Each structure stands twice: as structure tokens, then as C-alpha cells.
Amino acid sequence: MSGMGDGYVGTAQDAVRIRKLEKQREAERRKIQELKDKSASTKGQPGLLQFGKSRAEVLEHAFKKETVGLVTREEYVEKRINIRNKIEEEEKEKLQKLQQEEEELQLKKRKQRKIKGNSRLSFADDIENGSEEEDGENDSQPKKFRHGKFGKDPTVETSFLPDSEREAEEQAERERLQRQWFLEQEQIRNEPLQITYSYWDGAGHRRVIQVRKGDAIGEFLRAVQQQLAPEFREIRTTSVENLLYVKEDLIIPHQHSFYELIINKARGKSGPLFHFDVHEDVRTIADATIEKDESHAGKVVERHWYEKNKHIFPASRWEIYDPTKKWERYTIHGD
């Protein structure tokens, strides 16, 4: 207890720690003193830019300090130019420093992206570091196991993932099927279609004519006019626009085609619009649950006759064909 008056010395480790802290404090004191000396030496320099001031203010402040007292015109101009050059050099150095820092930052980001791109797994670095440590510890021992490269698991279902090759193949297949469909539809349009019609002027004059399935109603009526012209004088003097084609109590506009009626399975008021022959529904057993399958001859009518007799049956039942209107059941008389 008698040695307590001299102070506690501590262990050798404490002495080493104390000397280390004293060196650090001494280095910090020297650094602070150097910064003070530097700021004191540069405080009076007119060329240094000051925070919060514009370039013009700094230039004017430095120029006033340099031109205190009487100076000649040449000295005045020379000092002005020197101060301006010094400030421009400082700004140029500052800009170069900022550009260099930006380039270093971009380079660092590219390196990080490259490292992330090379490793497929988030724990790949840990595995590599662990394997390196094991190799360093067991250099004297032969290697018994080495980690392989991590890749895709072939047993995992990946059909839902984006695949550019698969999408390109599917797109090519869709285009091939589309071309094939267009060719098939064009062949259907070019197929011959035999139509039984009746020229109606109050009485029926049944005829048969052959056209293409792709022909429009207007083209069909032109062919009908050529067929009927030798027999009916009123047909010879009229135009195709003044002829109407009435099928199953519906007036079919000239722009519609037979292909359109067939492909859409169009329905009329008294029968289907996609059958152009004439047949009746003959049954041995009546069954009201099954719709009748009957097809009536379409009528070719002159527009003047229709306007004159549209209040009389059967013209009173006729109306313009509307593709959006659906006829659920067929009727022969009335509405």
C-alpha cells in the first residue's frame, strides 16, 4: 500500500496503449496547426474563391486590395488581367477535379455491376471465400472435393419465363397459320355457287344462275340483269342499282357478299341466308323442338315495283338486312 502515492503504472499492454494514444494526439495537433498556418497564409490572397460570393464579387474584392494607392494605367490593367487569369485557373482546376471524381465514381459503379453480373447466387462470394480459406488451411492435404459452377436446374419448370427463341418460333408459327388460313379462305371465295332465284313482278319467274361465293350482291344482280334482259324489257332499261335481292324476307344490300352470309351462318326472317337452293322440310314425325330446315328462292325485284307495292303482302314483310340483328325463330306469315 506504500507504493500507492507514486501512482499506478499498469501493465506493459497499458503502457503500449498510452504511447499509441499520445502519438495519435501529437499527429492530430500537428495536422490542426498545419491547417491553421495554411488558412492564415491564404486568407489575404485575392485570387481565392470564397464561399457564398459570386465570381464578380471575388474579382472586385481582390482587385481593390491589389490597387490600393496610386498606380499607373499599365499596372492597373495588368493587375486586373492577372487576377482574372488566376480566378479562371482556380475554376478550371476545380472543374477538372469534379470531372475526375465523377469518372472515378462511374468506374466504381461499372466494377460493381460487373461483379454482380458474374455471380449468379447471392452467396457465391461467401462460398468462394470459404473454399479459399479451406484451401489455405489444408495445403498440405490433398483436395477431396471441389465446388462446381452453379447454373440452372434442368428439372425446374421454366415454360412460364420469357424466352426469345420460343417466342420467335411461336410468332413464326402464327404467321404460317395465318397465311394458310388466308389461302384457304381465298379458295372458298373462288368456289362456284349455284343460286336459284325468282324475278318477281307480282308473279314469280324462277331461274338458276352460277356465280362465285366471293361475289357481292351487286355483282350477282348484274349477272341476273344480263340473264333476264332478253326476256323482260323493263330489265333491259333499268340499272343494277335499281334492282333488289330479297332473301328470306330481308333485302340484302349490294355491298354484302355470299361468302359473308355463308361464313357467318346468317339467319333471315323465314329461313337461313346461307342456303341458296330451294328445299322443303319433309318429316315423317313432327317434332316442335327441332327447327325446320327450309330454304326459299330469293327474289330479284325492281325498286320501282317495291316502292309501289311495299304495303301489300309479301313486300309488307320485307326489311333491310342488319348483320347485328338476330332472328331467333323463323316465321312465314305476319311479323
Side-chain angles (χ1 to χ4, degrees), residues 8-275:
Y8 178 69
V9 178
T11 62
Q13 293 180 353
D14 294 335
V16 171
R17 189 180 298 108
I18 291 170
R19 285 195 298 271
K20 186 176 180 181
L21 293 173
E22 288 177 351
K23 289 180 179 179
Q24 291 179 356
R25 291 193 188 99
E26 184 64 26
E28 291 176 357
R29 280 195 295 271
R30 285 198 301 270
K31 188 174 181 181
I32 293 171
Q33 188 62 33
E34 289 175 0
L35 292 174
K36 287 181 179 180
D37 297 340
K38 185 176 179 181
S39 62
S41 61
T42 58
K43 186 175 181 180
Q45 293 183 9
L48 293 177
L49 294 174
Q50 300 179 14
F51 179 76
K53 292 185 177 181
S54 66
R55 181 175 179 275
E57 292 175 351
V58 175
L59 178 62
E60 188 67 25
H61 180 70
F63 180 68
K64 286 180 180 179
K65 285 187 176 183
E66 291 288 334
T67 56
V68 175
L70 296 175
V71 293
T72 63
R73 182 177 181 279
E74 289 78 9
E75 291 177 346
Y76 181 89
V77 174
E78 183 180 0
K79 291 181 182 295
R80 186 83 175 182
I81 294 173
N82 291 338
I83 291 173
R84 184 184 291 109
N85 293 338
K86 186 178 292 186
I87 292 177
E88 290 178 354
E89 289 177 0
E90 290 178 358
E91 289 182 345
K92 187 176 181 181
E93 291 177 359
K94 184 177 179 181
L95 181 60
Q96 290 177 352
K97 185 177 180 181
L98 291 175
Q99 290 178 351
Q100 185 177 0
E101 292 177 353
E102 183 67 21
E103 291 175 358
E104 291 177 356
L105 181 62
Q106 294 295 334
L107 181 62
K108 185 177 179 181
K109 289 182 179 180
R110 283 197 296 270
K111 288 182 178 179
Q112 290 178 351
R113 285 197 296 267
K114 187 176 181 181
I115 292 172
K116 290 181 180 179
N118 292 335
S119 60
R120 294 184 178 180
L121 299 176
S122 59
F123 51 85
D125 294 337
D126 299 338
I127 295 175
E128 292 177 359
N129 295 334
S131 62
E132 290 177 359
E133 292 176 0
E134 292 177 0
D135 292 342
E137 294 176 357
N138 303 323
D139 286 340
S140 58
Q141 299 180 1
K143 296 180 180 179
K144 296 181 180 180
F145 177 77
R146 296 183 67 181
H147 293 288
K149 292 183 178 180
F150 291 94
K152 294 181 180 179
D153 186 352
T155 62
V156 175
E157 177 63 30
T158 59
S159 59
F160 61 91
L161 295 175
D163 189 343
S164 58
E165 293 182 359
R166 185 177 68 244
E167 291 175 357
E169 292 176 358
E170 292 176 353
Q171 180 64 24
E173 180 65 16
R174 282 195 292 268
E175 293 176 356
R176 186 189 67 81
L177 293 174
Q178 187 179 21
R179 289 193 299 270
Q180 181 180 349
W181 185 83
F182 280 129
L183 289 174
E184 292 176 354
Q185 298 309 306
E186 189 63 27
Q187 291 176 357
I188 294 174
R189 289 188 180 93
N190 290 324
E191 291 177 358
L193 177 64
Q194 187 169 324
I195 299 176
T196 302
Y197 72 94
S198 176
Y199 171 57
W200 189 266
D201 57 357
H205 309 277
R206 186 168 293 186
R207 298 289 187 274
V208 177
I209 194 171
Q210 182 170 301
V211 295
R212 296 184 309 115
K213 290 183 178 179
D215 288 345
I217 301 300
E219 296 172 332
F220 159 72
L221 290 175
R222 183 173 290 105
V224 168
Q225 184 188 28
Q226 294 174 359
Q227 187 182 43
L228 297 178
E231 300 181 42
F232 301 94
R233 183 172 59 85
E234 64 273 15
I235 294 295
R236 287 198 301 268
T237 58
T238 191
S239 63
V240 176
E241 288 73 17
N242 288 326
L243 294 178
L244 303 178
Y245 178 59
V246 183
K247 174 67 174 168
E248 307 300 344
D249 293 329
L250 293 180
I251 303 172
I252 312 298
H254 289 195
Q255 70 270 17
H256 293 287
S257 66
F258 296 105
Y259 168 81
E260 178 184 343
L261 300 175
I262 294 170
I263 205 71
N264 293 325
K265 299 289 185 183
R267 293 169 62 91
K269 294 178 69 174
S270 56
L273 297 178
F274 50 88
H275 291 319

